[in-house]
Amino acid sequence: MKGMVLDAKWDPKPDYTVSDWEKKTGKAITGNAIWHNPTLEVREWPDPKPGPKEVLLEIQACGVCGSDMHFFETDKDNYILYPGLTKFPTILGHEFSGKVAEVGKEVTLLQPGDMVTVEEMIWCGRCIPCRNGYPNHCTNLEEIGFTIPGAFANFIAVDEKFCWKIDSIAERMGSEEKAYELAALTEPTCVAYNAMFERAGGFRPGHFVSVMGAGSIGLAAMSTVVAFEVSPQRRELAALVGADFVYDPREVPAGEALMEHSKGEGFNFHVEAAGVPEITIPEMEKALAINAKVVQIGRAAKKVPMYLEAFQVRRAQAYGAQGHSGHETFPNVIRMVASGRIDLSPIITARYSLADTVVAIEKSMDRTDGKRIEA
Amino acid sequence: MKGMVLDAKWDPKPDYTVSDWEKKTGKAITGNAIWHNPTLEVREWPDPKPGPKEVLLEIQACGVCGSDMHFFETDKDNYILYPGLTKFPTILGHEFSGKVAEVGKEVTLLQPGDMVTVEEMIWCGRCIPCRNGYPNHCTNLEEIGFTIPGAFANFIAVDEKFCWKIDSIAERMGSEEKAYELAALTEPTCVAYNAMFERAGGFRPGHFVSVMGAGSIGLAAMSTVVAFEVSPQRRELAALVGADFVYDPREVPAGEALMEHSKGEGFNFHVEAAGVPEITIPEMEKALAINAKVVQIGRAAKKVPMYLEAFQVRRAQAYGAQGHSGHETFPNVIRMVASGRIDLSPIITARYSLADTVVAIEKSMDRTDGKRIEA
Amino acid sequence: MKGMVLDAKWDPKPDYTVSDWEKKTGKAITGNAIWHNPTLEVREWPDPKPGPKEVLLEIQACGVCGSDMHFFETDKDNYILYPGLTKFPTILGHEFSGKVAEVGKEVTLLQPGDMVTVEEMIWCGRCIPCRNGYPNHCTNLEEIGFTIPGAFANFIAVDEKFCWKIDSIAERMGSEEKAYELAALTEPTCVAYNAMFERAGGFRPGHFVSVMGAGSIGLAAMSTVVAFEVSPQRRELAALVGADFVYDPREVPAGEALMEHSKGEGFNFHVEAAGVPEITIPEMEKALAINAKVVQIGRAAKKVPMYLEAFQVRRAQAYGAQGHSGHETFPNVIRMVASGRIDLSPIITARYSLADTVVAIEKSMDRTDGKRIEA
Amino acid sequence: MKGMVLDAKWDPKPDYTVSDWEKKTGKAITGNAIWHNPTLEVREWPDPKPGPKEVLLEIQACGVCGSDMHFFETDKDNYILYPGLTKFPTILGHEFSGKVAEVGKEVTLLQPGDMVTVEEMIWCGRCIPCRNGYPNHCTNLEEIGFTIPGAFANFIAVDEKFCWKIDSIAERMGSEEKAYELAALTEPTCVAYNAMFERAGGFRPGHFVSVMGAGSIGLAAMSTVVAFEVSPQRRELAALVGADFVYDPREVPAGEALMEHSKGEGFNFHVEAAGVPEITIPEMEKALAINAKVVQIGRAAKKVPMYLEAFQVRRAQAYGAQGHSGHETFPNVIRMVASGRIDLSPIITARYSLADTVVAIEKSMDRTDGKRIEA
């Protein structure tokens, strides 16, 4: 089959100590410190075969994530920007949906023809964190499109336990094609959902919610939402999917804007999805409501100068979040789409064929518009 | 001034032991056991004068609550139906809004002309439960329209600390009159909000929510909501303000309907607002999702036969709720209305003058339509 | 090998509808409605062989649980008392510890000689409840000593993922034998821990805690604990492991005693571990502190007449709990024992050889003293 | 009467903008930016007279707090070190107990002779944060010994609502004198309790708990507690009141020690009570258990370089805490002492007469031993 393959050279930075585990597994814990000179092309890749508990999926749609760009974009020394767990070469793509083409012989939950979307985090279910209820922190984690082959390809084989059926979305949409596209948005929405609802415990109806970096703000439907985003196209999209007010943070100081919108009370819930906490969190600190929550979703290998005195005086708390597995997250997001409570379709702004996925990644790199999707 | 006054005779039922506290204060803890032969009329009542920390409000709108009917409706022995704290004679009416007409000399937060809505629970702020953060469980509680004069009247005097400004609602509506009407719905909405969000901790986006008795279901906007209600007019209203499905529980067995809507998974959040838990909770027990919550808002002096084994197997929990004070409830509900996130105006189905409020109560007693309001 | 085997006849009560699933699997969902005329004996049983991910354990200690008695005790129609999931014949015993004798070829976490204790609930890790973080509510649940062979035997084979190492307990005790005995108490302690801390969210230091049925009350060490228990021997044990006050509920009305101990404030946390909620919960309802929690651990196929009005007025909540898996429960309980924070060894009051385990069950049935253990 | 009075000159630093509110009230929001050249002496002060809702207390014991030293210690420009709300001159002292000498005419909860301890935060109960349940964040806050006269004096007048009876402690101790001393430890213990249990939600039995700065660690009794403290005397005290291990963080790198004690799992709960988060939090970041909590109690006007990526990967959260009022904190701490669950008496290492309180403050400033108390 064909797949969009990223390759890079294992060439640790001089000041980085490669751990024994990294040597043994070939997986870099800090990608940015090891992977040099990345290349990206659509090329031949061996057809996957499903194991006994796996299903073979024919990919129907796959979105471009910020991580996909960070694999290809490089720092001044030509190392990839992405800071986390990675193993190359591999096929990229982890926000996807597909149709079951074949099932392994121990598969019980799915059958050929089923429509599904898939978790990206391949948790073992056996290590101590998994047993304790923390699958996003699995000791033996593999990540689709990061350490094992992803979905910018014709096919993928995955354990059935990572698949979630999307029939309910197809029923509502009355179109399989549309359902596959929407379902490919499930994974990134679940990352936001996990951060906001599982990790930070959500907000109350009536709360003021600020979003730095125009993410899946449709979730925040019961509250006043103010979003900040540098791209004008994305500001338009944010308004379309539910933000009450959208600003360019380079023109409007976020802290001041939030204080004004809340008439001096401060915002109750702050979402950092821009990946620049060293810039955004000091603004949030200027607009903390009493009992406010700050949740960090964006990833950044930066120290953030935090004024904890402000968190004490304002009774505030900060939560670090990663992942999307466990805690009812996938089924709840699927229900929201299926019941029509959220409609994220406006954020899909471009569609590409598999052959053109490298172009999709390159175009995404200007970070001006919405989600690009291979479908 | 004029007020709609309920009077009744202090005539304890033979099997009820009147406590010393009841004797001393003239307040009945169990109204149904003491108040006999109620009468209701609009008549003269002394003009209230604001104390140093109080404001005098000119009443602008006041809704009819189920409790108002329970004061006037009687059991077979002619005792009032309402089971709780009461002292008569008094003016009824506790879901209201008003304009500040006069301020006491130590008032600092309000001035004449301010538009406000008011808590009904007059908590002292000094007893142990108040200090511990439980104002709804104040030891020295007075209740407007229950133990002290209410708002089916021209004026009322209340401590400024129970008043919440509604300018933001007037700004959105562009009409003071409309704002006063909507604001009179704040108190009952806050009772639901307190029960669902403060007491039971809310539900997650995507959760299935069932409501027994068509309450302020607009709150449940991010989830699939199924409501049960015997009155056909109220079923229509429930659909108007956000219920996805509405049934007559006498025709459709609630437990079965909920299991069907959730494709066998059960509902995550059950609201008992019908006041007949002995009938509704056994239905809920048939449709508990794993980790489900049941919250009791309706009041009933009945033993409920609960099958706790079902709560164990389904990992479920039950919460008792009363009141609406504290915990950010009033300001959050006001924000929701002001931001347009909820619009409860369709549930107001009739308007009366003060002189006709007794008729309003009588008509409410058939329990077929929405909120009646004096405005 | 030898094992203590319980057998009974599949003979559904006339008014019980056997489900298709029960027919297909041979597992009774409601044991009491199906299993007739139980017998119990120590006899030969095939030696278990570990699968690829399993370990073979040489049993070192196994406690007698109330469930073990309920398998053998019968109602007036000679059906077993135990209400839940069961499949017979099988070996009983599910509170145990053992030494790893052999490991399957894919085992990575354990090696021969390791000392472990084991979860009783064999959750699949793949069904929807497991993925959602609710292993105690696994759709494909098997239970050691209930539906599959247990630990009143020489050996058992279990997936390594259900085993928790107890080296830390052996280090503290300086004795492997003592460590195995204590470790056999882990599972019942985890049931209490899961109920009190995971399900009901625990209590605060300083809270008043009442326990109906003298369970693992040592957990409650930071609060005033009052326990109620009909057996005089068990009342002594409760005092030994940390209860401040212990009463016979037939002599001292529990509700009154709790109000007296709390000087009228009521108790904050109530544990129902006696399995008679229809008797104990009405007592708890008389002594609810504001914001009190009631947690149901004991199992009973009874309707409980609950006065939810009391839960509303007192801001109280009730939690149903079962199981012990997930949520960090096993490792936390092991840590408590290893750090010396709890010492439950006094509750072991008798030790038996495997050949005498039927006697142990029979003697337990008078429910007068502590834990009997095969060691 | 006599009182230990701190005075200082209102002399704002050149780069500090004095707000209108500060000008109007004479209260400095940032004490360190305004109060210059502090002096401390025991001198005459007018006798307080109780208002209608106030009681006059004869002071029985008063502890020295770190804040008391920070009022007197100065930076290189001779400004006081304390960063927060202050108004001078005033009498210092806010950790105290006393006997009711006289009651105002509207007092209902106390009578002459009653033994009490007192909250230090004088919350109004009427502003929006107070109504919302956040008394520690009162808009109209006064603080005893910070902005209004404190308890290093013969008498103090306070509203009865800030007083908590300590009879239960006297009953347990069998000595009024001892009870007054212990009760004077209530306020600082409540600050820790509020931070750990109300703000950060507590920890579970079995959790690993680290404490930076040897605070009221006795609270952590159900877990493994490791404390870090530079003073050798205080390390001894920490061990006496319950720490399992105590280190000097200048000799033992805290992050490494915590990882070793937890065998690589990390600590679940981290308490910053040392007031140097810029040093301690980076150490905590090295030893975060999955799902760990960090709670900031110490006050510091410093930016803390936080690596939020570590909080994301480890599923960690940080809480800012201040104050001790509300949320059942005072009554729960009193119960713990009265029930003998905690005994903080070993931390009182010196006693002084009122005339010698300036010496007590000066001796405290070497920060080597435990609590000094005027009794």
Side-chain angles (χ1 to χ4, degrees):
Chain A
M1 68 169 188
K2 297 266 187 208
M4 180 175 65
V5 178
L6 188 126
D7 205 352
K9 194 173 164 221
W10 179 281
D11 185 8
K13 289 185 176 175
D15 59 345
Y16 185 76
T17 310
V18 180
S19 70
D20 288 345
W21 184 87
E22 288 175 316
K23 282 177 196 159
K24 200 180 71 183
T25 62
K27 288 192 263 192
I29 291 171
T30 308
N32 166 256
I34 291 188
W35 298 113
H36 194 227
N37 197 17
T39 61
L40 191 60
E41 62 173 330
V42 175
R43 64 162 163 91
E44 278 300 314
W45 187 273
D47 285 353
K49 298 271 173 251
K53 292 181 174 167
E54 287 185 337
V55 293
L56 183 72
L57 301 178
E58 185 182 5
I59 308 295
Q60 302 294 322
C62 182
V64 174
C65 171
S67 312
D68 294 320
M69 298 174 241
H70 282 157
F71 295 143
F72 191 45
E73 294 174 304
T74 51
D75 65 16
K76 65 179 170 40
D77 298 321
N78 204 24
Y79 283 85
I80 69 169
L81 287 188
Y82 185 73
L85 194 71
T86 33
K87 183 177 182 178
F88 299 123
T90 203
I91 297 172
L92 298 189
H94 59 272
E95 305 178 350
F96 68 103
S97 58
K99 180 182 287 197
V100 176
E102 200 183 320
V103 302
K105 62 176 191 287
E106 293 174 24
V107 164
T108 61
L109 301 169
L110 293 173
Q111 44 191 321
D114 279 352
M115 304 170 67
V116 300
T117 187
V118 183
E119 301 180 40
E120 167 264 359
M121 305 193 88
I122 304 304
W123 43 273
C124 75
R126 308 177 60 82
C127 68
I128 305 288
C130 277
R131 293 193 224 169
N132 281 346
Y134 307 128
N136 291 318
H137 303 270
C138 173
T139 305
N140 303 310
L141 196 66
E142 298 286 353
E143 295 187 63
I144 293 178
F146 292 72
T147 67
I148 56 175
F152 285 123
N154 300 115
F155 293 97
I156 193 169
V158 289
D159 189 313
E160 64 170 339
K161 81 178 179 183
F162 302 112
C163 298
W164 297 88
K165 293 178 75 170
I166 57 169
D167 312 36
S168 53
I169 297 176
E171 277 165 35
R172 166 162 285 266
M173 294 299 145
S175 150
E176 293 209 355
E177 189 186 336
K178 178 92 173 153
Y180 280 123
E181 282 199 5
L182 279 179
L185 300 173
T186 306
E187 191 271 350
T189 306
C190 283
V191 170
Y193 188 108
N194 175 67
M196 294 168 72
F197 299 103
E198 166 59 24
R199 290 293 296 114
F203 45 84
R204 293 202 169 178
H207 272 181
F208 291 133
V209 175
S210 84
V211 179
M212 303 288 184
S216 299
I217 49 186
L219 288 175
M222 295 204 305
S223 301
T224 295
V225 178
V226 178
F228 297 86
E229 172 59 52
V230 293
S231 150
Q233 294 94 321
R234 287 183 178 182
R235 288 200 297 273
E236 267 178 49
L237 295 174
L240 267 180
V241 296
D244 294 79
F245 303 95
V246 194
Y247 297 106
D248 183 341
R250 295 167 307 188
E251 290 172 10
V252 175
E256 285 174 30
L258 295 172
M259 286 308 276
E260 205 166 296
H261 275 293
S262 60
K263 301 190 176 167
E265 292 187 54
F267 265 56
N268 307 87
F269 201 91
H270 299 261
V271 180
E272 209 296 328
V276 286
E278 71 278 13
I279 296 172
T280 55
I281 287 184
E283 290 299 309
M284 296 174 186
E285 286 177 352
K286 295 175 192 162
L288 296 171
I290 290 174
N291 215 30
K293 296 175 176 179
V294 170
V295 57
Q296 179 70 30
I297 309 179
R299 309 298 290 266
K302 285 279 176 63
K303 297 263 179 177
V304 181
M306 290 179 69
Y307 192 56
L308 295 180
E309 171 79 7
F311 280 74
Q312 292 179 273
V313 169
R314 301 302 282 173
R315 202 184 201 272
Q317 34 268 318
Y319 302 85
Q322 76 171 32
H324 53 239
S325 295
H327 317 295
E328 302 187 347
T329 301
F330 262 69
N332 279 328
V333 167
I334 289 170
R335 274 189 198 171
M336 289 165 72
V337 176
S339 68
R341 299 286 165 179
I342 56 170
D343 176 11
L344 297 178
S345 55
I347 74 170
I348 303 176
T349 51
R351 289 166 180 79
Y352 296 82
S353 68
L354 177 55
D356 290 338
T357 45
V358 175
V359 179
I361 299 279
E362 286 169 350
K363 289 220 172 146
S364 296
M365 282 161 58
D366 61 9
R367 289 175 173 74
T368 55
D369 59 357
K371 180 66 70 183
R372 281 155 205 282
I373 203 162
E374 181 265 308
Chain B
M1 68 170 188
K2 297 265 187 209
M4 181 175 65
V5 178
L6 188 126
D7 205 351
K9 193 173 164 222
W10 178 280
D11 185 7
K13 290 183 177 177
D15 58 345
Y16 185 77
T17 310
V18 179
S19 70
D20 288 346
W21 185 87
E22 289 175 316
K23 283 176 197 158
K24 200 181 70 183
T25 62
K27 289 192 264 192
I29 290 171
T30 308
N32 166 257
I34 291 188
W35 298 112
H36 195 228
N37 196 18
T39 60
L40 191 60
E41 62 173 331
V42 176
R43 64 162 163 92
E44 277 300 314
W45 189 273
D47 286 352
K49 299 269 172 254
K53 291 180 175 169
E54 287 185 336
V55 292
L56 182 73
L57 301 179
E58 185 181 6
I59 307 295
Q60 301 294 321
C62 182
V64 174
C65 172
S67 313
D68 294 319
M69 298 173 241
H70 282 158
F71 296 142
F72 191 46
E73 295 174 304
T74 52
D75 64 16
K76 64 180 169 42
D77 298 321
N78 204 24
Y79 283 85
I80 69 169
L81 286 187
Y82 186 73
L85 193 71
T86 33
K87 183 177 183 178
F88 300 122
T90 203
I91 297 171
L92 298 189
H94 59 273
E95 305 178 350
F96 67 104
S97 57
K99 180 182 287 197
V100 176
E102 199 183 319
V103 302
K105 63 175 190 288
E106 292 174 24
V107 163
T108 60
L109 301 168
L110 294 173
Q111 43 191 320
D114 279 351
M115 305 171 66
V116 299
T117 187
V118 182
E119 301 180 41
E120 168 264 358
M121 306 193 87
I122 305 303
W123 42 272
C124 75
R126 309 177 59 83
C127 68
I128 305 288
C130 277
R131 293 192 224 169
N132 281 346
Y134 306 129
N136 291 317
H137 303 269
C138 173
T139 304
N140 303 311
L141 196 66
E142 297 287 353
E143 295 188 63
I144 293 178
F146 292 72
T147 66
I148 56 175
F152 284 124
N154 300 117
F155 293 97
I156 193 169
V158 289
D159 189 311
E160 65 170 338
K161 81 179 180 183
F162 301 111
C163 297
W164 296 88
K165 292 177 77 170
I166 58 169
D167 313 35
S168 53
I169 297 176
E171 277 165 33
R172 165 162 285 267
M173 293 301 146
S175 149
E176 292 208 356
E177 188 187 337
K178 179 90 174 154
Y180 280 123
E181 281 198 6
L182 279 179
L185 299 174
T186 305
E187 191 271 350
T189 307
C190 283
V191 171
Y193 189 107
N194 176 66
M196 295 168 72
F197 299 102
E198 167 59 23
R199 289 293 296 113
F203 46 84
R204 292 201 171 181
H207 272 179
F208 291 133
V209 175
S210 85
V211 180
M212 303 287 184
S216 299
I217 48 186
L219 288 174
M222 295 204 304
S223 301
T224 295
V225 178
V226 178
F228 297 86
E229 171 59 52
V230 294
S231 151
Q233 295 94 320
R234 286 183 180 184
R235 288 200 295 275
E236 267 179 49
L237 295 175
L240 267 180
V241 296
D244 295 78
F245 305 95
V246 193
Y247 297 106
D248 183 340
R250 296 167 306 187
E251 291 172 10
V252 175
E256 286 175 30
L258 295 173
M259 286 308 275
E260 205 166 297
H261 275 294
S262 59
K263 302 190 176 167
E265 292 186 55
F267 266 56
N268 307 88
F269 200 92
H270 299 261
V271 180
E272 211 295 328
V276 285
E278 70 279 14
I279 295 172
T280 54
I281 286 183
E283 290 300 308
M284 296 174 186
E285 285 177 353
K286 296 174 190 162
L288 296 171
I290 290 174
N291 215 30
K293 296 174 177 179
V294 171
V295 57
Q296 179 69 32
I297 308 178
R299 309 298 290 265
K302 285 278 176 64
K303 296 262 178 177
V304 182
M306 290 179 69
Y307 192 55
L308 294 180
E309 172 77 7
F311 280 74
Q312 293 180 272
V313 170
R314 300 303 282 173
R315 200 185 204 273
Q317 34 268 316
Y319 302 85
Q322 76 171 31
H324 53 239
S325 295
H327 317 296
E328 301 187 347
T329 302
F330 263 69
N332 279 328
V333 167
I334 290 170
R335 275 189 199 172
M336 289 164 72
V337 177
S339 68
R341 300 286 166 178
I342 56 171
D343 176 13
L344 296 179
S345 54
I347 75 170
I348 302 176
T349 52
R351 289 167 180 79
Y352 296 81
S353 68
L354 177 55
D356 290 337
T357 45
V358 175
V359 179
I361 299 278
E362 285 169 350
K363 289 220 172 149
S364 296
M365 283 162 58
D366 61 10
R367 288 174 175 75
T368 56
D369 59 356
K371 180 66 71 183
R372 282 157 204 281
I373 203 162
E374 181 266 309
Chain C
M1 69 170 187
K2 298 267 187 206
M4 181 175 66
V5 178
L6 188 126
D7 206 351
K9 194 173 162 222
W10 179 279
D11 186 6
K13 290 184 175 175
D15 59 345
Y16 184 76
T17 310
V18 179
S19 71
D20 288 345
W21 184 86
E22 288 175 316
K23 282 177 197 158
K24 200 180 72 183
T25 61
K27 289 192 263 191
I29 290 170
T30 308
N32 167 257
I34 291 187
W35 298 112
H36 194 227
N37 197 17
T39 61
L40 193 60
E41 64 173 329
V42 176
R43 65 161 162 92
E44 278 300 312
W45 189 272
D47 286 351
K49 297 272 173 252
K53 292 181 174 168
E54 287 185 337
V55 293
L56 182 73
L57 301 179
E58 185 180 7
I59 308 294
Q60 302 295 320
C62 182
V64 174
C65 171
S67 314
D68 294 319
M69 297 174 242
H70 282 157
F71 296 142
F72 191 46
E73 294 175 304
T74 52
D75 64 17
K76 63 179 170 41
D77 298 321
N78 205 25
Y79 284 84
I80 69 169
L81 287 187
Y82 186 74
L85 193 72
T86 33
K87 183 177 183 178
F88 299 123
T90 203
I91 298 171
L92 298 188
H94 59 271
E95 306 178 350
F96 67 104
S97 58
K99 180 182 287 197
V100 177
E102 200 183 318
V103 301
K105 64 176 190 287
E106 292 174 24
V107 163
T108 61
L109 301 169
L110 293 172
Q111 44 190 320
D114 279 352
M115 305 170 68
V116 299
T117 187
V118 182
E119 300 181 40
E120 168 263 359
M121 305 193 89
I122 305 303
W123 42 273
C124 75
R126 308 178 58 84
C127 67
I128 305 288
C130 277
R131 293 192 224 168
N132 281 346
Y134 307 129
N136 291 318
H137 304 269
C138 174
T139 304
N140 303 309
L141 196 66
E142 298 286 353
E143 294 188 63
I144 294 179
F146 291 71
T147 66
I148 56 175
F152 285 123
N154 301 116
F155 293 97
I156 193 168
V158 289
D159 189 312
E160 64 169 340
K161 81 178 180 183
F162 302 110
C163 298
W164 296 89
K165 293 178 75 170
I166 57 168
D167 312 36
S168 54
I169 297 176
E171 277 165 34
R172 165 162 286 266
M173 294 300 145
S175 149
E176 292 208 355
E177 189 186 336
K178 178 92 173 153
Y180 280 122
E181 282 199 3
L182 279 179
L185 299 173
T186 305
E187 191 272 349
T189 306
C190 283
V191 171
Y193 188 108
N194 175 66
M196 295 168 71
F197 299 103
E198 167 58 24
R199 291 293 296 113
F203 45 84
R204 293 201 169 180
H207 272 180
F208 291 133
V209 175
S210 85
V211 180
M212 303 289 184
S216 298
I217 49 186
L219 288 173
M222 296 205 303
S223 302
T224 295
V225 178
V226 178
F228 296 87
E229 171 59 51
V230 294
S231 151
Q233 295 93 322
R234 287 183 179 183
R235 289 200 295 276
E236 268 179 48
L237 294 175
L240 268 179
V241 297
D244 295 78
F245 304 95
V246 193
Y247 297 106
D248 184 340
R250 297 167 306 188
E251 291 173 8
V252 175
E256 285 175 31
L258 295 172
M259 286 309 275
E260 204 166 296
H261 275 293
S262 59
K263 300 188 176 169
E265 293 186 54
F267 266 56
N268 308 87
F269 200 92
H270 299 261
V271 180
E272 209 295 328
V276 286
E278 71 278 13
I279 296 171
T280 55
I281 287 183
E283 289 300 308
M284 295 174 186
E285 285 177 353
K286 296 174 191 162
L288 296 171
I290 289 174
N291 214 30
K293 296 174 176 178
V294 170
V295 57
Q296 180 68 31
I297 309 179
R299 309 299 289 265
K302 285 277 178 63
K303 296 262 178 178
V304 181
M306 289 178 70
Y307 192 56
L308 294 180
E309 171 79 6
F311 280 74
Q312 292 179 273
V313 169
R314 300 303 282 173
R315 198 184 205 274
Q317 34 269 316
Y319 303 85
Q322 75 171 32
H324 53 240
S325 295
H327 317 295
E328 301 187 347
T329 302
F330 262 70
N332 279 328
V333 167
I334 290 170
R335 274 188 197 171
M336 289 165 73
V337 176
S339 68
R341 299 285 165 179
I342 56 170
D343 176 12
L344 297 178
S345 55
I347 76 170
I348 302 175
T349 52
R351 288 167 181 79
Y352 295 83
S353 68
L354 177 56
D356 290 339
T357 45
V358 176
V359 179
I361 299 279
E362 287 169 349
K363 290 220 171 148
S364 295
M365 283 162 57
D366 61 9
R367 289 175 173 73
T368 56
D369 59 358
K371 181 66 71 182
R372 281 155 206 283
I373 203 161
E374 181 266 308
Chain D
M1 69 170 188
K2 297 267 188 208
M4 180 176 66
V5 178
L6 188 125
D7 205 352
K9 193 173 165 221
W10 178 280
D11 185 8
K13 289 184 177 177
D15 58 345
Y16 184 76
T17 310
V18 179
S19 71
D20 287 346
W21 185 87
E22 288 175 316
K23 282 177 197 159
K24 198 180 72 182
T25 62
K27 289 192 263 191
I29 291 171
T30 308
N32 167 257
I34 291 188
W35 297 112
H36 194 228
N37 197 18
T39 61
L40 192 60
E41 63 173 329
V42 176
R43 64 164 164 90
E44 278 300 314
W45 188 272
D47 286 352
K49 298 271 172 252
K53 292 181 174 169
E54 287 185 336
V55 292
L56 182 73
L57 301 178
E58 184 181 8
I59 308 294
Q60 301 294 320
C62 181
V64 174
C65 171
S67 313
D68 294 319
M69 298 173 241
H70 283 159
F71 296 142
F72 191 46
E73 294 174 304
T74 51
D75 64 16
K76 64 179 170 40
D77 298 320
N78 204 25
Y79 282 85
I80 69 169
L81 286 187
Y82 186 73
L85 193 72
T86 32
K87 182 176 182 178
F88 300 121
T90 203
I91 297 172
L92 298 189
H94 59 272
E95 305 177 350
F96 68 103
S97 58
K99 180 181 287 196
V100 176
E102 199 184 319
V103 301
K105 64 175 189 287
E106 293 173 25
V107 163
T108 61
L109 301 168
L110 293 173
Q111 44 191 318
D114 279 352
M115 304 170 67
V116 299
T117 187
V118 183
E119 301 181 40
E120 167 264 356
M121 305 192 88
I122 303 305
W123 43 273
C124 74
R126 308 177 59 83
C127 67
I128 305 288
C130 276
R131 293 193 224 168
N132 282 345
Y134 306 129
N136 292 318
H137 303 270
C138 173
T139 304
N140 303 310
L141 196 66
E142 298 286 351
E143 294 187 63
I144 294 178
F146 291 72
T147 66
I148 56 175
F152 284 123
N154 300 117
F155 293 98
I156 193 168
V158 288
D159 189 311
E160 65 170 338
K161 81 179 179 183
F162 301 111
C163 297
W164 296 88
K165 293 178 75 169
I166 58 169
D167 313 35
S168 54
I169 297 176
E171 277 165 33
R172 165 161 286 265
M173 294 299 145
S175 149
E176 293 207 355
E177 188 186 338
K178 178 89 175 155
Y180 280 123
E181 282 198 3
L182 279 179
L185 299 174
T186 305
E187 190 271 350
T189 306
C190 283
V191 170
Y193 188 107
N194 175 67
M196 295 169 71
F197 299 104
E198 166 59 25
R199 289 292 297 115
F203 45 85
R204 292 202 169 180
H207 271 180
F208 291 133
V209 175
S210 85
V211 179
M212 303 287 183
S216 298
I217 49 186
L219 289 173
M222 295 204 305
S223 301
T224 295
V225 178
V226 178
F228 296 87
E229 171 57 53
V230 294
S231 150
Q233 294 95 319
R234 287 182 179 184
R235 287 200 297 275
E236 268 179 50
L237 294 174
L240 267 179
V241 295
D244 295 77
F245 304 95
V246 193
Y247 296 106
D248 183 340
R250 297 167 307 188
E251 289 172 10
V252 176
E256 285 174 31
L258 295 173
M259 286 308 275
E260 206 166 297
H261 275 293
S262 59
K263 300 188 177 170
E265 293 186 54
F267 266 56
N268 307 87
F269 200 92
H270 298 261
V271 180
E272 210 295 329
V276 286
E278 71 279 13
I279 295 172
T280 55
I281 286 183
E283 289 300 307
M284 295 174 187
E285 285 177 352
K286 296 175 190 163
L288 297 171
I290 290 175
N291 214 30
K293 296 173 176 178
V294 170
V295 56
Q296 179 70 31
I297 308 179
R299 309 298 290 266
K302 284 279 175 64
K303 296 262 179 178
V304 181
M306 289 179 69
Y307 191 56
L308 294 181
E309 171 78 7
F311 280 74
Q312 292 179 272
V313 169
R314 301 303 281 172
R315 200 184 204 274
Q317 35 268 316
Y319 302 85
Q322 76 171 33
H324 54 240
S325 294
H327 317 294
E328 301 187 347
T329 302
F330 263 69
N332 279 327
V333 167
I334 289 170
R335 275 189 197 170
M336 290 165 72
V337 177
S339 68
R341 298 286 166 179
I342 56 170
D343 175 11
L344 297 178
S345 55
I347 74 170
I348 302 176
T349 52
R351 289 167 181 80
Y352 296 82
S353 68
L354 178 55
D356 290 339
T357 45
V358 176
V359 179
I361 298 279
E362 286 169 350
K363 288 221 171 149
S364 295
M365 283 161 59
D366 62 9
R367 288 176 173 73
T368 56
D369 59 357
K371 180 67 71 182
R372 281 156 206 282
I373 203 161
E374 181 265 309

